[in-house]
Amino acid sequence: MLKIALAQINLLVGGIQANQIKIIQTAEHARDQLEADIVVFPELTVTGYPPEDLLLRPDFIKQANQSVFDIAHAVQGIDIVIGFPEQSDNSLYNTAAVLRDGEILTQYRKNVLPNFGVFDEQRYFKPDNEICTFSAKGQSIALTICEDIWQLGLVEKNKQAGADLILTLNASPFHAGKIHQREDIVCQQAKGAEIPLVYVNLIGGQDELIFDGASFVANAQGKVIFRAKEFEEQVSVVEFKAGKPIKTICSPLYNEISSEYAALVLGVRDYVYKTGFKGAILGLSGGIDSALVLAIAADALGADQVEAVLMPSKYTQDMSNEDAILQTEALGVKYHTIAIEPAVTAFTGMLSDIFEDTQKDATEENIQARCRGVLLMAMSNKFGKLLLTTGNKSEMSVGYATLYGDMAGGFAPIKDVPKLLVYQLAEYRNTLSAVIPQRVITRPPSAELAPDQIDEDSLPPYSILDPILEMYVEQDRSAEQIQAAGYQMADINRAISLVDRNEYKRRQAPPGIKITPRAFGRDRRYPIASGYKGA
Amino acid sequence: MLKIALAQINLLVGGIQANQIKIIQTAEHARDQLEADIVVFPELTVTGYPPEDLLLRPDFIKQANQSVFDIAHAVQGIDIVIGFPEQSDNSLYNTAAVLRDGEILTQYRKNVLPNFGVFDEQRYFKPDNEICTFSAKGQSIALTICEDIWQLGLVEKNKQAGADLILTLNASPFHAGKIHQREDIVCQQAKGAEIPLVYVNLIGGQDELIFDGASFVANAQGKVIFRAKEFEEQVSVVEFKAGKPIKTICSPLYNEISSEYAALVLGVRDYVYKTGFKGAILGLSGGIDSALVLAIAADALGADQVEAVLMPSKYTQDMSNEDAILQTEALGVKYHTIAIEPAVTAFTGMLSDIFEDTQKDATEENIQARCRGVLLMAMSNKFGKLLLTTGNKSEMSVGYATLYGDMAGGFAPIKDVPKLLVYQLAEYRNTLSAVIPQRVITRPPSAELAPDQIDEDSLPPYSILDPILEMYVEQDRSAEQIQAAGYQMADINRAISLVDRNEYKRRQAPPGIKITPRAFGRDRRYPIASGYKGA
């Protein structure tokens, strides 16, 4: 019998010392409590993932390499499989090492380096083309790392080299539906090569990325016989008898909506804690976006760590204030109210000479939004709470947001959530407990920066806008292709030209949590000065 | 005799139609006025460089490939060598095509794809390993693209395959001193393989990058026998007799300071024009940073397209206002004065309840800076002028700047200019004509956000800070290595810990012009949530 522990743990990018302590404790737990023969950690365990340009620092690489030796010396009596950036001569490899009896028994260098989407691995690492197996309790065990098993060939090659089972170390980021893609691919590989596969994934939030865990074991028939929880740390053991994994607990999968909500909660929690904040504040408008962000923040950090600020203007409807207060009460969140009129009046007066003979336009709306930004940042600065900004993906796409105004903040939880999904998530959250007043969900969305303003004055209805944006932004479809999917060219052109010309705003937006196949930020790299016109 | 035209032109990323018109006009000019046999354009001519994720759009790639055929049909009677993203089956190549008599005569696919620093070419392109030569007037001519010739081997390989000369299409970004690196490498390659080399570089600003032109021809002895101007468009012809290039005009090289200044001017001009603005505004404080940015902006756009805004507070010294006004007069720039006190007073009052029982801290300083940000953005919005932000690289490094305050703006011209270099550039600019009052250069730098404040209250002197920052940020040196270079550990630790903890500010900073070997922005990709402590 062979017992393999899957160490699905939350690591801190760059925090080699903290990670080392956690790796050692986890390995000891796996050895002593779980009686595991082998413990497998996620990709690039000692550095966290993705370490980005820290990988260019020789001191950082030296620390990471030293850490592997320190871990090997610290824990014996169990095989430890960990990932680290291996410096060898003048090259850096994304490597998995097997530590046994205080030494590095063997190591495997990642063959397939992803360099698309959020991944830049070819910026740092050299690919290798060697496979690697080691022996434990009479079993031949092969190592692979993440992208390796998304390509055909490598699993088969290991099988042909005599491997009895395959371990794979991963840092596979979440987006909605990704878990199914991931299990499908891995199970196909296992079935195709008739070999069991142990898949260990990272868990935790890192800037824009969520690693969702859900580590699993597929048997040689391509069936999942163990699955760890999604979005939680978990160290579990799976037994192999005569080379076959024994079926054990398979944690249920979240559905699409609930997984998105869980990802957002984890993302906020980890960003706040990992950047050293204790709590968060946000502007609560009575609209759906800030309502959802407040619920996420309270779920992530605890209601006592979150504060809401109501900042009404003369355009704010009574129901906005009422609903905002109702929500803070439902969640048990402290709130403050500051009317923005004195500052708006001051700026209007200060600019009156210069703006003489000009027409009112978006400038006056932006001043209101920016007064709110100044207030929120002042409170964030004074009390050390992270300011969460509440814009959604539809707004980010078309630039329906004020730079340094409602876009001000350190983190943008729902930046990758299209407006229609904001509503779905709000409704989902209310099924757990009713915290978002129903009127917030049913009233027409409005920025409340001008009299009787609603979003549809400026934009196509979200039921039309969101699908167009998904096709244009996430799927790279052309205007003609979107038209062929059943949309009006006028709506398409309006949406696309807004997307094209608002890259400058997105470039200055705070980071937010990726939950779709393509988020803004590192995932979508567009020029600002650009002659490309999609419309 | 063979005449080769070097088409050092300014292209618009994504602007395929506009670029096509310019390519055709330039080719016709080379054929008709310069009587050239061949005209050589920069790398990825039809799309501009770098097109970034536009390369993932099938419609964009289709347009770019169509454009090559259109150009071939449009201009005959001259060989046109242009770059484009070549779609072939399911792969994309960074390709140079030779167009002759309305057809693609041959094409070369870039072998070496840079994926470091600002470059992400492996994100988009597949490398090839074939060389390519074509014949013109009895000469065998080989093609290479940019990074290809920074590696040993390819020039030699072409020579061995019988090439008589090598054309290379480039988009090589500027940083101070790069021109010498570039010519040294190319001349070594030419000399080593005993083959002349025609190097055509892009010119122009594109977001954070400056392409500095300075195209040149090296003979088989490794001597530069022609050089085009730096930072300007130029289409020139070089004659080859019996395979040897005939020495002609070599434009002089700028020195380090003057090249940096020229790069900043070009960068501002191209960013403003390419993003569709007509002019720029900025806040003019009487300090050195905004003084330099104003001079750059006036030189880039013309004084009549630039406006300065003075926004004094009670902490602003008289000399600040006096010097600011003196400078606007020297340059002939229009200015406005708006005292920020009414807005600061309004915010102070609005926050007085919430801030009761708290001490004054950076919050109150930030409010002042943010009031200025609101005013400047209001003017930018109302009059359609791009707001230039005036922070330098030293400030960006240590976070000595207010997010949404003095960091507000669409473009940050001196973001990659360390403070000591700001002074040098100001003094250099004054040698052209005295526009920056001497007192601005000699007074101690101050943010003027608190009584009698100077930068050295919070930071080590710039003569110490700047070298530490260069070693840490640009050279990835450790604290110990910096200490070994002669600095005090207290200063080092202070500087490094500020750099480490201010990544969140930099992530929301506007783009600026890269002039050093490593700029912030796409060039330096660091995690925000990070356990790495350089100090």
Side-chain angles (χ1 to χ4, degrees):
Chain A
M1 178 142 83
L2 176 70
K3 286 183 166 184
I4 300 180
L6 291 80
Q8 173 177 305
I9 59 172
N10 195 341
L11 297 156
L12 176 60
V13 161
I16 294 173
Q17 284 187 314
N19 293 340
Q20 178 175 321
I21 292 168
K22 191 162 195 171
I23 292 164
I24 290 171
Q25 287 172 343
T26 305
E28 287 172 346
H29 170 80
R31 179 191 62 193
D32 301 338
Q33 263 67 56
L34 304 179
E35 298 179 342
D37 303 296
I38 303 174
V39 56
V40 186
F41 287 91
E43 182 176 11
L44 288 182
T45 327
V46 301
T47 59
Y49 192 94
E52 304 191 67
D53 280 7
L54 289 171
L55 292 170
L56 304 180
R57 302 198 75 87
D59 59 333
F60 183 74
I61 298 299
K62 198 175 156 194
Q63 282 175 39
N65 282 261
Q66 182 59 46
S67 179
V68 174
F69 287 100
D70 293 346
I71 293 165
H73 289 143
V75 191
Q76 301 188 20
I78 184 169
D79 290 352
I80 301 174
V81 184
I82 55 171
F84 72 110
E86 179 208 351
Q87 180 77 53
S88 177
D89 300 324
N90 283 321
S91 297
L92 197 66
Y93 299 92
N94 183 339
T95 293
V98 181
L99 313 182
R100 178 184 289 174
D101 299 334
E103 295 191 344
I104 295 180
L105 176 69
T106 186
Q107 52 193 25
Y108 166 77
R109 294 165 173 171
K110 192 171 182 176
N111 284 9
V112 185
L113 300 172
N115 206 66
F116 56 84
V118 300
F119 300 108
D120 281 317
E121 290 197 21
Q122 292 170 29
R123 182 175 172 89
Y124 311 106
F125 298 114
K126 190 171 162 180
D128 196 26
N129 55 14
E130 300 289 326
I131 61 169
C132 166
T133 57
F134 69 102
S135 182
K137 290 213 166 175
Q139 299 281 302
S140 174
I141 302 174
L143 298 174
T144 58
I145 302 175
C146 212
E147 192 70 13
D148 286 334
I149 57 158
W150 290 73
Q151 310 278 326
L152 282 178
L154 200 57
V155 171
E156 187 67 40
K157 192 171 163 190
N158 275 302
K159 168 76 175 190
Q160 283 166 3
D164 297 311
L165 70 96
I166 290 179
L167 306 180
T168 178
L169 291 73
N170 304 273
S172 178
F174 170 81
H175 63 73
K178 177 83 168 283
I179 179 73
H180 300 293
Q181 264 182 281
R182 201 187 281 151
E183 289 196 357
D184 285 353
I185 283 280
V186 171
C187 289
Q188 272 176 37
Q189 296 270 27
K191 188 179 178 184
E194 295 178 32
I195 189 167
L197 214 148
V198 176
Y199 185 102
V200 179
N201 195 19
L202 183 62
I203 184 260
Q206 172 58 29
D207 290 354
E208 300 181 324
L209 301 182
I210 300 298
F211 300 94
D212 52 335
S215 302
F216 63 97
V217 176
N219 68 16
Q221 291 73 48
K223 299 286 176 206
V224 173
I225 60 90
F226 164 79
R227 185 189 300 117
K229 289 180 179 166
E230 291 179 89
F231 306 108
E232 286 183 38
E233 290 194 295
Q234 184 177 332
V235 185
S236 312
V237 80
V238 171
E239 299 179 2
F240 285 72
K241 283 186 182 155
K244 290 182 184 162
I246 309 303
K247 187 161 173 40
T248 175
I249 295 164
C250 286
S251 298
L253 291 174
Y254 284 80
N255 67 26
E256 192 160 311
I257 290 288
S258 58
S259 72
E260 287 161 338
Y261 193 82
L264 296 172
V265 169
L266 176 59
V268 169
R269 182 186 301 134
D270 272 14
Y271 190 85
V272 169
Y273 292 159
K274 289 182 177 179
T275 54
F277 284 91
K278 290 226 173 90
I281 64 162
L282 79 174
L284 191 67
S285 70
I288 187 73
D289 297 318
S290 58
L292 177 62
V293 174
L294 181 63
I296 291 166
D299 289 344
L301 308 172
D304 57 328
Q305 293 303 322
V306 181
E307 292 182 20
V309 189
L310 282 62
M311 293 168 292
S313 77
K314 59 187 173 188
Y315 305 123
T316 305
Q317 296 189 50
D318 289 342
M319 69 170 161
S320 299
N321 288 324
E322 292 160 14
D323 290 345
I325 292 170
L326 277 176
Q327 194 192 353
T328 62
E329 289 168 351
L331 284 165
V333 162
K334 185 174 167 187
Y335 76 91
H336 312 270
T337 302
I338 311 176
I340 62 168
E341 222 50 48
V344 175
T345 304
F347 282 119
T348 307
M350 292 156 78
L351 289 161
S352 61
D353 285 352
I354 292 171
F355 284 1
E356 213 180 358
D357 307 323
T358 65
Q359 298 293 312
K360 282 206 175 185
D361 55 20
T363 306
E364 284 73 17
E365 300 187 13
N366 288 337
I367 287 174
Q368 297 169 57
R370 291 194 180 113
C371 285
R372 294 190 173 109
V374 174
L375 289 168
L376 289 167
M377 285 303 295
M379 293 180 67
S380 171
N381 291 163
K382 187 64 88 185
F383 301 116
K385 288 188 182 287
L386 180 72
L387 175 57
L388 299 176
T389 174
T390 62
N392 61 59
K393 189 175 196 176
S394 310
E395 290 174 359
M396 280 297 98
S397 300
V398 297
Y400 197 70
T402 300
L403 205 49
Y404 323 132
D406 52 308
M407 286 177 66
F411 199 57
I414 61 170
K415 180 185 179 183
D416 196 36
V417 182
K419 188 80 173 186
L420 296 178
L421 183 55
V422 170
Y423 285 102
Q424 290 178 290
L425 287 166
E427 279 169 355
Y428 163 75
R429 178 59 186 80
N430 274 354
T431 65
L432 306 181
S433 63
V435 294
I436 299 173
Q438 202 54 34
R439 190 165 57 178
V440 173
I441 298 175
T442 51
R443 64 182 286 202
S446 165
E448 295 195 327
L449 293 169
D452 302 322
Q453 185 180 41
I454 59 169
D455 291 10
E456 286 191 20
D457 297 340
S458 317
L459 301 173
Y462 289 110
S463 58
I464 289 171
L465 181 62
D466 277 4
I468 292 173
L469 292 174
E470 183 180 345
M471 287 185 271
Y472 187 69
V473 172
E474 295 179 30
Q475 298 166 5
D476 290 325
R477 293 210 222 170
S478 66
E480 289 69 29
Q481 289 171 318
I482 299 171
Q483 186 183 36
Y487 295 87
Q488 299 296 317
M489 203 39 113
D491 290 334
I492 298 166
N493 285 340
R494 173 101 183 108
I496 288 182
S497 71
L498 288 169
V499 172
D500 287 348
R501 84 170 94 116
N502 280 291
E503 182 58 27
Y504 76 100
K505 281 193 192 177
R506 289 188 290 270
R507 196 67 72 86
Q508 293 190 44
I513 302 162
K514 172 181 162 77
I515 65 158
T516 70
R518 185 181 290 159
F520 295 119
R522 295 279 160 93
D523 206 5
R524 184 180 188 269
R525 304 176 190 177
Y526 266 59
I528 300 177
S530 170
Y532 176 75
K533 300 274 174 282
Chain B
M1 177 142 81
L2 175 70
K3 285 183 167 184
I4 300 180
L6 291 80
Q8 173 177 305
I9 59 173
N10 195 340
L11 298 156
L12 176 59
V13 161
I16 294 174
Q17 285 187 312
N19 292 340
Q20 178 175 320
I21 292 168
K22 192 162 194 172
I23 292 164
I24 290 171
Q25 287 172 343
T26 305
E28 287 172 345
H29 170 80
R31 180 192 62 195
D32 302 337
Q33 263 68 54
L34 304 178
E35 297 178 344
D37 303 295
I38 303 174
V39 56
V40 186
F41 287 90
E43 182 176 10
L44 288 181
T45 328
V46 302
T47 60
Y49 192 94
E52 304 190 66
D53 280 7
L54 289 171
L55 292 170
L56 304 179
R57 303 198 75 88
D59 59 334
F60 182 73
I61 297 300
K62 200 174 154 194
Q63 282 174 41
N65 282 262
Q66 181 59 47
S67 178
V68 175
F69 287 100
D70 294 346
I71 293 165
H73 288 143
V75 190
Q76 302 189 20
I78 184 169
D79 290 353
I80 301 173
V81 184
I82 55 170
F84 73 109
E86 180 208 350
Q87 180 78 52
S88 176
D89 300 325
N90 283 321
S91 298
L92 196 66
Y93 298 93
N94 184 337
T95 293
V98 181
L99 313 182
R100 178 184 289 174
D101 299 333
E103 295 191 343
I104 296 180
L105 175 69
T106 187
Q107 52 192 26
Y108 166 77
R109 294 165 174 172
K110 193 171 183 177
N111 284 9
V112 185
L113 299 172
N115 206 67
F116 56 84
V118 301
F119 299 108
D120 281 317
E121 290 198 19
Q122 292 169 29
R123 181 174 171 90
Y124 310 107
F125 298 115
K126 191 170 162 182
D128 196 26
N129 55 15
E130 300 289 326
I131 61 170
C132 166
T133 58
F134 70 101
S135 183
K137 290 212 167 177
Q139 299 282 301
S140 174
I141 302 173
L143 298 174
T144 58
I145 302 175
C146 211
E147 193 69 14
D148 286 333
I149 56 157
W150 290 73
Q151 309 279 326
L152 282 179
L154 200 58
V155 170
E156 188 66 40
K157 193 172 162 189
N158 275 302
K159 167 78 176 190
Q160 283 166 4
D164 297 311
L165 71 98
I166 290 180
L167 306 181
T168 178
L169 291 72
N170 304 273
S172 177
F174 170 82
H175 64 72
K178 178 83 166 284
I179 179 73
H180 300 293
Q181 265 182 282
R182 200 187 282 151
E183 289 196 359
D184 286 353
I185 283 281
V186 171
C187 288
Q188 271 175 39
Q189 295 271 29
K191 189 179 177 184
E194 294 178 35
I195 189 167
L197 215 149
V198 175
Y199 185 103
V200 179
N201 195 19
L202 184 61
I203 185 261
Q206 172 57 30
D207 289 355
E208 299 181 325
L209 301 182
I210 299 298
F211 299 94
D212 51 334
S215 302
F216 62 96
V217 176
N219 67 16
Q221 291 73 49
K223 299 287 175 207
V224 173
I225 59 91
F226 164 78
R227 185 190 299 118
K229 288 180 181 167
E230 291 179 89
F231 307 107
E232 286 184 37
E233 290 194 295
Q234 184 176 332
V235 184
S236 310
V237 79
V238 171
E239 297 179 2
F240 285 72
K241 283 187 184 155
K244 290 182 186 163
I246 308 304
K247 187 160 172 41
T248 175
I249 295 164
C250 288
S251 298
L253 290 174
Y254 284 80
N255 67 26
E256 191 161 311
I257 290 289
S258 59
S259 72
E260 288 161 339
Y261 193 81
L264 296 171
V265 169
L266 175 59
V268 169
R269 182 186 300 134
D270 271 12
Y271 190 85
V272 170
Y273 292 159
K274 288 183 177 180
T275 54
F277 284 91
K278 290 227 173 92
I281 64 163
L282 79 174
L284 192 67
S285 70
I288 187 73
D289 297 318
S290 58
L292 177 62
V293 174
L294 181 63
I296 292 166
D299 288 345
L301 309 172
D304 57 329
Q305 294 301 323
V306 182
E307 292 182 21
V309 189
L310 282 62
M311 294 169 292
S313 77
K314 59 187 174 188
Y315 304 123
T316 305
Q317 296 189 51
D318 290 342
M319 69 170 160
S320 299
N321 289 324
E322 292 160 14
D323 290 345
I325 292 169
L326 277 177
Q327 194 191 354
T328 61
E329 289 168 352
L331 284 165
V333 162
K334 186 175 167 187
Y335 76 92
H336 312 270
T337 302
I338 312 176
I340 62 168
E341 222 49 48
V344 174
T345 303
F347 282 119
T348 307
M350 292 155 78
L351 288 162
S352 60
D353 286 353
I354 292 171
F355 284 2
E356 213 180 0
D357 307 322
T358 66
Q359 298 294 311
K360 281 206 176 184
D361 56 18
T363 307
E364 285 73 17
E365 300 186 14
N366 288 337
I367 287 173
Q368 298 169 56
R370 292 194 178 112
C371 286
R372 295 190 173 108
V374 174
L375 290 168
L376 289 167
M377 284 303 295
M379 294 180 66
S380 171
N381 291 164
K382 187 63 88 184
F383 302 116
K385 288 188 183 289
L386 180 72
L387 174 57
L388 299 176
T389 174
T390 62
N392 61 59
K393 189 175 196 177
S394 309
E395 290 174 0
M396 278 298 97
S397 300
V398 298
Y400 196 70
T402 301
L403 205 49
Y404 323 133
D406 52 306
M407 286 176 67
F411 199 57
I414 61 169
K415 179 185 179 184
D416 196 37
V417 183
K419 187 78 173 188
L420 296 179
L421 184 54
V422 171
Y423 286 102
Q424 291 177 291
L425 287 166
E427 279 169 355
Y428 163 74
R429 177 59 186 83
N430 275 355
T431 65
L432 306 182
S433 63
V435 294
I436 299 173
Q438 201 54 33
R439 189 165 58 177
V440 174
I441 298 176
T442 52
R443 65 181 287 201
S446 165
E448 296 195 326
L449 294 168
D452 301 322
Q453 185 180 41
I454 60 169
D455 292 9
E456 286 192 18
D457 297 341
S458 317
L459 299 174
Y462 289 111
S463 58
I464 289 171
L465 182 62
D466 277 4
I468 293 174
L469 293 174
E470 182 179 345
M471 286 185 271
Y472 187 68
V473 172
E474 295 179 31
Q475 299 166 5
D476 291 324
R477 293 210 222 170
S478 67
E480 289 69 27
Q481 289 171 317
I482 299 171
Q483 187 182 34
Y487 294 87
Q488 299 296 316
M489 202 42 112
D491 290 334
I492 299 167
N493 285 339
R494 173 100 184 110
I496 288 182
S497 71
L498 287 169
V499 173
D500 287 348
R501 85 170 94 116
N502 280 291
E503 182 58 27
Y504 76 100
K505 280 193 194 178
R506 289 187 290 269
R507 197 67 71 89
Q508 293 189 44
I513 302 163
K514 172 180 162 78
I515 65 158
T516 70
R518 185 181 289 159
F520 296 119
R522 293 280 160 92
D523 205 6
R524 185 181 187 267
R525 305 176 189 177
Y526 266 60
I528 300 177
S530 170
Y532 176 75
K533 301 275 173 282

